[in-house]
Amino acid sequence: MMGNIHPSAVIDPGAQIDPSARVGPFCVVGAQVTLAAGVELKSHVVVTGRTSIGDDTVVFPFAVVGEIPQDLKFKGEATRLVIGQRNRIREHVTINCGTEGGGGVTRIGDDGLFMAGCHVAHDAVIGNRVILVNSVAIAGHCILEDDVIVGGLSGVHQFVRIGRGAIIGAVSMVTNDVIPYGLVQGPRGELDGLNLVGLKRRGVERADITALRAAFQMLAQGEGTFQSRAQRLKEETSSDYVREIVEFITSDSDRHFLTPR
């Protein structure tokens, strides 16, 4: 090792690497890359493009971070990838930069776990404490809010939003938006309930969980359209958690919602 950089690593002179960052054997780091304090590239990692990686993030062998989007419309525009702090990016993960048409930036929050073989496509926005289990594929322009878990071998269609605290079961295909705290499972994922385990783990009060259960029943079985049920909930609820679901439902989206079955 030469300092914290292995002699077999290929580092472009333009790269900005904090003195405390570690770059292992056979890594490749491009000219427009920034590695913050405590970042570790294990070995055989490629970091390229206009990519910044936040403090104490660890990238495992054979991950490719910051390559161009898998989008035929991409013509080499100067787009970016921004990764937050304390993430764990495991083997063979791929995360692409943004596209000009999608806002130009792919963003990853803090404290995420990206298990082996995951893909995060261009212009996706991934929140804090998100877990993508092995071989998950997140398509372009998706938004995953904080504390989302996506089970192994699942796919999320482009432009889909997944609300805070939702959980997607393994081997699910998610084609429409998922409400906060929702539970989705099935080959063509259906909204099957609430992520009660996740709510309890986060210490949500029993009164709020009861309110969420009642809200879910109203959305599933109440009178009128899905949107009108949501508006009625907004007028009747005193729970901040239920209001969060209502605001999610009534905000702008490029996709329809998965509705309770």
Side-chain angles (χ1 to χ4, degrees):
M1 298 280 285
M2 294 183 296
N4 290 328
I5 299 175
H6 194 276
S8 66
V10 179
I11 312 292
D12 190 283
Q16 299 181 40
I17 301 177
D18 187 275
S20 65
R22 298 175 63 86
V23 181
F26 304 106
C27 292
V28 177
V29 179
Q32 296 173 306
V33 169
T34 300
L35 304 180
V39 169
E40 181 179 3
L41 310 184
K42 290 281 192 180
S43 73
H44 300 85
V45 173
V46 175
V47 185
T48 186
R50 295 171 180 259
T51 297
S52 63
I53 300 181
D55 294 357
D56 300 315
T57 289
V58 180
V59 188
F60 286 73
F62 302 104
V64 179
V65 177
E67 262 295 1
I68 65 171
Q70 297 179 121
D71 183 343
L72 293 175
K73 299 185 296 298
F74 183 74
K75 303 301 181 186
E77 305 92 323
T79 58
R80 296 187 294 139
L81 167 62
V82 178
I83 297 176
Q85 301 179 355
R86 299 177 300 278
N87 290 287
R88 296 295 177 265
I89 300 172
R90 295 304 303 255
E91 297 83 355
H92 297 280
V93 168
T94 56
I95 307 175
N96 293 159
C97 288
T99 64
E100 187 175 54
V105 185
T106 303
R107 293 188 184 275
I108 308 291
D110 300 333
D111 301 300
L113 173 58
F114 301 82
M115 296 190 192
C118 291
H119 174 65
V120 178
H122 58 87
D123 307 296
V125 178
I126 310 295
N128 300 324
R129 301 174 299 279
V130 168
I131 299 174
L132 304 184
V133 183
N134 301 69
S135 300
V136 163
I138 306 298
H141 314 280
C142 289
I143 298 174
L144 277 62
E145 296 185 350
D146 295 348
D147 302 303
V148 166
I149 300 174
V150 183
L153 298 166
S154 294
V156 181
H157 192 283
Q158 62 184 5
F159 292 103
V160 160
R161 299 180 302 148
I162 300 181
R164 182 163 74 106
I167 186 168
I168 312 300
V171 200
S172 297
M173 179 63 211
V174 182
T175 57
N176 289 311
D177 289 353
V178 179
I179 62 172
Y181 317 110
L183 165 64
V184 170
Q185 55 188 350
R188 282 283 166 176
E190 296 181 333
L191 186 59
D192 203 29
L194 295 170
N195 182 15
L196 295 174
V197 172
L199 290 166
K200 291 173 183 176
R201 284 176 177 170
R202 282 191 289 278
V204 175
E205 297 290 337
R206 179 171 294 185
D208 283 309
I209 292 177
T210 300
L212 284 166
R213 285 176 182 264
F216 186 86
Q217 287 301 113
M218 176 182 255
L219 289 170
Q221 300 173 0
E223 296 181 358
T225 66
F226 187 67
Q227 290 286 339
S228 67
R229 294 175 215 162
Q231 287 291 352
R232 194 157 65 253
L233 271 175
K234 182 178 181 180
E235 296 165 3
E236 297 175 359
T237 189
S238 59
S239 168
D240 289 339
Y241 288 89
V242 175
R243 288 196 189 98
E244 184 177 354
I245 291 176
V246 171
E247 289 170 5
F248 188 91
I249 292 170
T250 56
S251 61
D252 291 336
S253 176
D254 293 303
R255 305 294 297 173
H256 297 295
F257 280 90
L258 289 175
T259 54
R261 61 178 180 177

